[in-house]
Amino acid sequence: MLFSHDEYQEYQSRIAKVKKSMEEKGIEVLLVTNPSNMNYLTGYDGWSFYVDQMVAVIIDEDEPLWIGRYQDANGAKATVWLDHNNIIPYPDEYVQSQTRHPMDFIADFLTQIGQAKRKIGVELESYYFTALAYERLKAKLPDATFKDGSLLVNYVRIIKSEMEIDYMKKAATIVEKAMQTAVNSIHVGARQCDAIASIYYDLITGTSEYGGDYPAIVPLMPTGENTSAPHLTWSDQPFKDNDMVIIEIAGCFKRYHAPLARTVSLGKPSEKVTDLSKVVVEGLNHALDAVKPGNTCEDIEAAWRKVISKHGIEKEARLGYSMGLSYPPDWGEHTASIRKGDKTILKPNMTFHLIPALWFENYGIEISESFRVTDQGVEVLTNYTRELIVKGDFDFEEPVIS
Amino acid sequence: MLFSHDEYQEYQSRIAKVKKSMEEKGIEVLLVTNPSNMNYLTGYDGWSFYVDQMVAVIIDEDEPLWIGRYQDANGAKATVWLDHNNIIPYPDEYVQSQTRHPMDFIADFLTQIGQAKRKIGVELESYYFTALAYERLKAKLPDATFKDGSLLVNYVRIIKSEMEIDYMKKAATIVEKAMQTAVNSIHVGARQCDAIASIYYDLITGTSEYGGDYPAIVPLMPTGENTSAPHLTWSDQPFKDNDMVIIEIAGCFKRYHAPLARTVSLGKPSEKVTDLSKVVVEGLNHALDAVKPGNTCEDIEAAWRKVISKHGIEKEARLGYSMGLSYPPDWGEHTASIRKGDKTILKPNMTFHLIPALWFENYGIEISESFRVTDQGVEVLTNYTRELIVKGDFDFEEPVIS
């Protein structure tokens, strides 16, 4: 794959930042197994994270190594900026075997290149670095000193470059279109799966200028009483009169996300739900007002809490999280969370999904925004009506989208 | 959620089989973190596996426990057959925190219910049980004896019930339709993302009788020279004259999969590619002929190898794998592989994806089938033309689909 000078420079700058952090943490070799971090450092992009693979950053080597399955080496050649001699394949007989483990090969390889006695950072809290992978690596590298390198790269990723912000804005344009399609597709009698199919169509086709990538989370669409349960997906049952429907989706462009959640009422919502949705929007607006460089994540939460506690409401869960580049199963970055106690200082080009959802025993409301911290304050990435969306043919004082 | 008597009986039978295997392995408490295994044992279905969660099977308790995030407890109530007292939520402050870990809560809970000194099986090779999760659990449960329970439930899952086979046949019907849409959508000038959007639409909308679920892997569609790299996804670039295009997709119904791969040539394929595709089909046919109860996985591979070695071809990777119920990132079950050395004895209602793909330096061919082992031999789950699919307007002796 060809990279522009700017892209190449950006990768160099990312590697430099990671090496600086490695030095501070006393890590000489960082084994990066989180696929988002692998992509961030090398450009590697393939659905191969279901087998062991990694990018190894060695403090005194110019370029990292990509280590993965033999059949994925061509995918690495097609997507990374690295010298192809730095692509190290392991044979297929190591894959999902009861007798061999890819980490045996990788430990042998690290030994061969003289890295067996070093301070090795591993991402202990990465989905695709299993407990067994760590056990095997430790057993085969008894002279190495292991350190936890979890989130080291994630914290470098927390401030986005202009290129990354551009990607996220493209993702935002995609999700605006998909949300409108969701609202149009959700109506009494339509099957849930058909609405999701239309949403997916828009998420992937993108715009006429650029296409969409697969989001790290599938469309979430709890319906009816299940709006109390944010992570349910969909069924093939039809929407019913007076159903509440939550839609949480993200546009994705080149693995960068812009998430957005809205709630639709199919029919006149109860007074309780209408009032609650107004509280959520009011709280969301106040939370956004608290976004500016120098404030902390917990300042945003405090602004939200001030509004909702006035209405006698408490929220158990965090309000949001840093996000951007990601692979399944999560578009969050696992660094800063918008919640009490998180003292992360906001800096320009940090990006968050602010989702101050409220869930009760048999219903819930989600109205969210993705935002960027600017030099002065906040830029909301998406432009979509920030309110409970009410559909149906009845007397209602609020604007109705149908 | 309401379960039929048959469904309830099926869950009971699964729990009984798992307990039998636990006894054989000397495991008293099995902490099941693989979301497919969690679903298999309880019905739990939600996109919440990006945070720590588990099903705990205690050898001397009737019902397992579901343990997960507070905001997912309503999703558990909506989907599992368990008594709701067996749904144990942990507070949100444990989620993606730099100071707390969900395993601290879970270890404390296991201690409270008297399980701290037992022989505890954990799935060391499960994507969503991280190395750190294991470290924290061991530190907080110093009196427990930990054993590797990886694949224990997976091996119970390897033989499907009639209900599961019915689900997979529904998934097969969905993937046949989506593959036809793929072939129709892939043409010179169309953008790759638009073809994928149409495929997704069909995978999710399913049929008029039942809808589709999200497959555990997104559509894979390496194109042109990238057909040498099986796990690339798509771009927004248009298909070009004479492009080769690989499509690997799965229909999914209630989390059960039927994968299918085909290769399309946009224009007259080279003689080399045509010949190779015939070898693949011949090898695939011979491999399928070797499927019957009593034969082993490596017998299937040997039948394939006999054909291709006659043509001077070698294949590095395994030919296929057991599959069925799954969540991202893989629809494979990680138990039996169709490869040399795998002596798994085939039994009725085992189900596999047989994908004897060949990848070279700058092209590749994939033609696959999903099959079930029957009492006598084999049943191919999907019905789709088993050949290289050639599209275009030119003289060609083979049947042309356009």
Side-chain angles (χ1 to χ4, degrees):
Chain A
M1 188 161 167
L2 289 175
F3 289 88
S4 71
H5 180 72
D6 282 357
E7 285 169 331
Y8 187 77
Q9 286 300 107
E10 178 143 345
Y11 284 115
Q12 295 305 317
S13 134
R14 294 173 184 180
I15 298 287
K17 285 179 202 158
V18 165
K19 284 187 176 173
K20 183 160 176 287
S21 177
M22 286 167 65
E23 253 176 57
E24 287 163 8
K25 292 177 172 60
I27 292 173
E28 293 169 316
V29 178
L30 182 66
L31 305 182
V32 176
T33 45
N34 176 328
S36 311
N37 293 341
M38 291 177 66
N39 176 305
Y40 185 74
L41 297 179
T42 69
Y44 182 64
D45 183 27
W47 190 287
S48 57
F49 39 87
Y50 69 92
V51 299
D52 292 273
Q53 55 178 21
M54 61 174 62
V55 165
V57 182
I58 301 175
I59 196 95
D60 37 22
E61 296 282 346
D62 278 349
E63 288 194 9
L65 302 161
W66 179 95
I67 311 174
R69 188 183 188 179
Y70 179 81
Q71 69 178 243
D72 293 319
N74 282 337
K77 287 179 191 168
T79 56
V80 303
W81 61 267
L82 309 177
D83 187 298
H84 289 186
N85 291 320
N86 282 23
I87 294 171
I88 314 297
Y90 64 77
D92 208 70
E93 61 188 13
Y94 285 93
V95 172
Q96 295 173 5
S97 158
Q98 285 8 294
T99 52
R100 294 177 184 87
H101 198 284
M103 288 300 157
D104 300 343
F105 176 96
I106 291 169
D108 286 346
F109 174 75
L110 291 173
T111 303
Q112 275 168 39
I113 62 168
Q115 305 298 323
K117 297 180 179 177
R118 302 198 84 172
K119 291 173 193 133
I120 299 181
V122 287
E123 296 178 310
L124 290 180
E125 192 74 319
S126 158
Y127 298 115
Y128 305 119
F129 182 67
T130 65
L132 186 63
Y134 185 40
E135 298 292 308
R136 295 291 275 248
L137 209 52
K138 282 190 294 187
K140 293 280 283 183
L141 294 170
D143 298 327
T145 307
F146 284 93
K147 299 202 166 205
D148 189 4
S150 296
L151 302 184
L152 188 156
V153 182
N154 306 49
Y155 271 107
V156 172
R157 280 164 48 204
I158 197 168
I159 295 178
K160 274 70 184 171
S161 70
E162 293 309 316
M163 186 189 82
E164 292 179 289
I165 295 293
D166 176 59
Y167 288 1
M168 292 176 77
K169 287 184 176 176
K170 289 188 163 77
T173 300
I174 293 172
V175 80
E176 286 165 10
K177 187 178 156 209
M179 185 59 81
Q180 187 54 49
T181 294
V183 171
N184 294 342
S185 308
I186 292 168
H187 53 83
V188 175
R191 297 191 308 174
Q192 295 180 22
C193 56
D194 294 337
I196 294 286
S198 298
I199 294 168
Y200 253 124
Y201 188 89
D202 274 13
L203 291 176
I204 304 303
T205 201
T207 74
S208 57
E209 283 105 55
Y210 47 86
D213 205 345
Y214 58 89
I217 305 179
V218 297
L220 301 172
M221 195 178 67
T223 298
E225 293 211 347
N226 285 343
T227 50
S228 65
H231 296 121
L232 298 184
T233 50
W234 63 85
S235 76
D236 54 14
Q237 293 307 298
F239 298 105
K240 298 190 300 292
D241 229 357
N242 297 313
D243 264 350
M244 298 273 289
V245 184
I246 285 174
I247 310 125
E248 184 182 353
I249 55 179
C252 185
F253 178 75
K254 292 186 187 287
R255 311 294 336 122
Y256 282 82
H257 292 75
L260 187 66
R262 287 293 181 271
T263 305
V264 172
S265 174
L266 291 178
K268 190 172 177 173
S270 68
E271 209 174 308
K272 183 179 66 176
V273 163
T274 307
D275 289 350
L276 199 66
S277 70
K278 288 178 181 164
V279 174
V280 169
V281 172
E282 187 190 344
L284 181 54
N285 289 338
H286 276 75
L288 287 169
D289 287 344
V291 177
K292 61 177 178 188
N295 272 6
T296 63
C297 281
E298 69 173 1
D299 291 337
I300 307 175
E301 194 275 341
W304 153 265
R305 188 155 30 87
K306 201 170 157 191
V307 171
I308 65 161
S309 61
K310 199 173 65 186
H311 296 280
I313 299 167
E314 284 184 27
K315 176 168 167 57
E316 196 260 347
R318 64 178 180 177
L319 284 199
Y321 43 80
S322 182
M323 58 84 202
L325 169 63
S326 205
Y327 284 86
D330 192 7
W331 53 52
E333 277 177 353
H334 300 192
T335 49
S337 286
I338 300 175
R339 64 176 154 201
K340 206 171 167 175
D342 192 315
K343 299 189 188 303
T344 307
I345 296 168
L346 301 177
K347 291 182 186 163
N349 280 358
M350 286 185 174
T351 49
F352 290 86
H353 184 210
L354 177 61
I355 177 164
L358 292 176
W359 301 290
F360 300 94
E361 200 45 41
N362 56 6
Y363 70 104
I365 301 264
E366 294 185 20
I367 298 171
S368 83
E369 298 290 2
S370 288
F371 71 80
R372 168 175 90 90
V373 182
T374 64
D375 290 342
Q376 305 286 330
V378 65
E379 179 185 13
V380 176
L381 295 175
T382 42
N383 179 12
Y384 199 83
T385 180
R386 191 181 300 163
E387 61 189 344
L388 176 68
I389 294 161
V390 178
K391 291 184 69 170
D393 191 18
F394 55 86
D395 264 351
F396 190 62
E397 74 276 22
E398 299 278 311
V400 173
I401 298 173
S402 60
Chain B
M1 190 162 167
L2 287 177
F3 290 88
S4 70
H5 180 72
D6 282 0
E7 286 169 331
Y8 186 78
Q9 286 300 107
E10 179 144 344
Y11 284 114
Q12 295 305 317
S13 135
R14 294 173 183 179
I15 298 286
K17 285 179 200 158
V18 164
K19 285 187 174 172
K20 184 160 175 287
S21 178
M22 286 167 64
E23 253 176 57
E24 286 163 10
K25 292 176 171 61
I27 292 172
E28 294 168 316
V29 178
L30 182 66
L31 305 183
V32 176
T33 45
N34 176 327
S36 311
N37 293 343
M38 290 176 68
N39 176 304
Y40 186 73
L41 297 179
T42 68
Y44 181 64
D45 183 26
W47 190 287
S48 56
F49 40 87
Y50 69 90
V51 299
D52 292 274
Q53 55 178 21
M54 61 173 63
V55 165
V57 181
I58 301 174
I59 197 95
D60 37 22
E61 296 282 347
D62 279 350
E63 288 194 8
L65 302 162
W66 179 96
I67 310 175
R69 187 183 190 180
Y70 179 81
Q71 69 179 242
D72 293 319
N74 282 337
K77 286 179 192 169
T79 57
V80 304
W81 60 267
L82 309 177
D83 187 298
H84 289 186
N85 292 319
N86 282 23
I87 294 171
I88 314 296
Y90 63 78
D92 208 70
E93 61 188 14
Y94 285 92
V95 171
Q96 295 173 6
S97 158
Q98 286 8 292
T99 52
R100 293 179 184 86
H101 197 285
M103 288 301 158
D104 301 343
F105 175 95
I106 291 169
D108 285 345
F109 174 74
L110 290 172
T111 303
Q112 274 168 39
I113 62 167
Q115 305 298 322
K117 298 181 179 177
R118 302 198 84 172
K119 293 173 192 134
I120 298 181
V122 288
E123 296 178 310
L124 290 180
E125 192 74 320
S126 158
Y127 299 115
Y128 306 119
F129 181 66
T130 66
L132 185 63
Y134 186 39
E135 298 292 308
R136 295 291 276 247
L137 209 51
K138 282 190 294 187
K140 292 279 284 184
L141 293 170
D143 298 326
T145 307
F146 284 92
K147 301 202 164 203
D148 189 4
S150 296
L151 302 183
L152 188 157
V153 182
N154 305 51
Y155 271 107
V156 171
R157 281 164 46 203
I158 198 168
I159 295 177
K160 274 69 185 171
S161 69
E162 294 308 317
M163 186 189 83
E164 292 180 288
I165 296 293
D166 175 59
Y167 287 1
M168 293 176 76
K169 288 185 175 176
K170 289 189 162 76
T173 300
I174 293 173
V175 79
E176 286 166 9
K177 186 178 156 210
M179 185 59 82
Q180 188 54 49
T181 293
V183 171
N184 294 343
S185 308
I186 292 168
H187 55 82
V188 176
R191 298 191 307 175
Q192 294 180 23
C193 56
D194 294 337
I196 294 286
S198 298
I199 293 167
Y200 253 124
Y201 188 88
D202 274 12
L203 290 176
I204 304 303
T205 201
T207 75
S208 57
E209 283 105 56
Y210 46 86
D213 205 345
Y214 58 91
I217 304 179
V218 297
L220 301 172
M221 195 179 67
T223 298
E225 293 209 348
N226 285 342
T227 50
S228 66
H231 296 121
L232 297 184
T233 50
W234 63 84
S235 76
D236 53 15
Q237 293 306 298
F239 297 106
K240 297 190 302 290
D241 230 356
N242 296 313
D243 264 350
M244 299 272 289
V245 184
I246 285 175
I247 310 124
E248 184 181 354
I249 54 179
C252 185
F253 178 75
K254 291 186 187 289
R255 310 293 338 123
Y256 283 81
H257 292 75
L260 186 66
R262 286 293 181 270
T263 304
V264 172
S265 173
L266 290 178
K268 191 172 177 172
S270 68
E271 210 174 308
K272 184 179 67 176
V273 164
T274 307
D275 290 349
L276 199 67
S277 70
K278 287 177 180 163
V279 174
V280 170
V281 172
E282 187 190 344
L284 180 54
N285 289 338
H286 278 74
L288 286 170
D289 287 345
V291 176
K292 62 176 177 188
N295 273 5
T296 63
C297 281
E298 69 172 2
D299 291 337
I300 306 175
E301 194 276 340
W304 152 266
R305 188 154 31 85
K306 201 171 158 191
V307 171
I308 65 161
S309 60
K310 200 173 65 186
H311 297 280
I313 299 167
E314 284 184 28
K315 175 168 168 55
E316 195 260 347
R318 65 177 180 178
L319 285 199
Y321 43 81
S322 182
M323 58 84 203
L325 168 65
S326 205
Y327 284 87
D330 192 9
W331 54 51
E333 277 177 353
H334 301 191
T335 50
S337 286
I338 300 174
R339 65 176 154 202
K340 207 171 166 176
D342 192 315
K343 299 187 190 303
T344 307
I345 296 168
L346 301 177
K347 291 182 186 161
N349 281 358
M350 285 185 175
T351 49
F352 289 87
H353 185 210
L354 177 61
I355 176 163
L358 293 175
W359 301 289
F360 300 95
E361 200 45 41
N362 55 7
Y363 70 105
I365 302 265
E366 293 185 21
I367 299 171
S368 83
E369 298 290 3
S370 287
F371 71 79
R372 168 175 89 90
V373 183
T374 64
D375 288 344
Q376 306 284 330
V378 66
E379 178 185 13
V380 176
L381 295 176
T382 44
N383 179 12
Y384 199 83
T385 180
R386 193 181 300 163
E387 62 187 343
L388 176 68
I389 294 161
V390 178
K391 290 185 69 170
D393 190 18
F394 55 86
D395 261 354
F396 189 65
E397 74 276 22
E398 299 278 311
V400 173
I401 298 174
S402 60

